[in-house]
């Protein structure tokens, strides 16, 4: 059974930092598109960051405009794990954060931050930012 497990969430003051981890098991996602999403109460699920294959030549990191310059996505294929470094956190970043993975090694660039592009999901980890 494929499982994705997030960790690293917590409560921080505005301006603080957290690093979220997504540990996958059941299959290797080393060559697959992976991503992070978030959902705040009353809001739609929002794509935050992803790695995806561009022409199957290289992986492209892409970010939501709401977080670009503050968050960084990375991966460690040997550990079948990917990360989201959250820096300069703002109260509006408060949300449940979910990691996701595609069953494919590539996806359309215009769908990189669409939840329809991903097949496997973690249970979520809460990030709360106070002012």
């Amino acid at each position: 059974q494929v499982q994705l497990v997030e960790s690293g969430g917590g409560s921080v003051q505005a301006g603080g930092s957290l690093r979220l981890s997504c540990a996958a098991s059941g299959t290797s996602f080393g060559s697959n598109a992976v991503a992070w999403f978030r959902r705040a109460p009353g809001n739609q699920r929002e794509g935050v960051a992803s790695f995806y294959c561009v022409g199957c030549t290289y992986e492209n990191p892409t970010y939501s405009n709401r977080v670009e310059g503050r968050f960084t996505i990375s991966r460690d294929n040997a550990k079948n794990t990917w990360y989201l470094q959250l820096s300069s956190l703002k109260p509006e970043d408060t949300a449940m954060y979910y990691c996701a993975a595609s069953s494919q090694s590539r996806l359309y660039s215009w769908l990189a931050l669409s939840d329809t592009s991903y097949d496997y999901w973690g249970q979520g980890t809460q990030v709360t930012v106070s002012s």
Side-chain angles (χ1 to χ4, degrees), residues 52-60 105-109:
Y52 63 95
C53 180
V54 179
C56 294
T57 301
Y58 64 95
E59 286 190 319
N60 180 56
S105 62
R106 61 187 181 184
L107 53 75
Y108 293 111
S109 61

Side-chain angles (χ1 to χ4, degrees), residues 7 17-18 24 29 42 63 74 79 88 93 108-109 112 123 131:
S7 62
S17 299
L18 289 170
F29 292 102
Y63 299 94
S74 61
K79 296 181 178 179
S88 300
D93 294 319
Y108 293 111
S109 61
Q123 82 289 346
S131 60

Side-chain angles (χ1 to χ4, degrees), residues 3-118:
Q3 294 187 20
L4 276 56
V5 179
E6 302 96 334
S7 62
S11 298
V12 298
Q13 294 290 119
S17 299
L18 289 170
R19 189 175 79 149
L20 309 183
S21 299
C22 182
S25 61
T27 192
S28 175
F29 292 102
S31 61
N32 295 42
V34 299
W36 287 92
F37 289 76
R38 67 185 182 185
R39 182 164 57 198
N43 290 351
Q44 303 271 31
R45 186 160 55 189
E46 173 192 18
V48 176
S50 72
F51 273 175
Y52 63 95
C53 180
V54 179
C56 294
T57 301
Y58 64 95
E59 286 190 319
N60 180 56
T62 188
Y63 299 94
S64 163
N65 291 337
R66 295 180 183 269
V67 308
E68 189 166 11
R70 299 188 296 118
F71 294 5
T72 302
I73 188 170
S74 61
R75 68 194 304 173
D76 186 336
N77 292 340
K79 296 181 178 179
N80 208 24
T81 300
W82 54 103
Y83 308 92
L84 187 69
Q85 177 68 44
L86 299 80
S87 300
S88 300
L89 283 162
K90 303 175 180 179
E92 52 262 42
D93 294 319
T94 295
M96 185 73 74
Y97 283 72
Y98 301 87
C99 63
S102 174
S103 62
Q104 306 291 322
S105 62
R106 61 187 181 184
L107 53 75
Y108 293 111
S109 61
W110 53 92
L111 295 176
L113 297 180
S114 171
D115 57 10
T116 63
S117 296
Y118 300 92

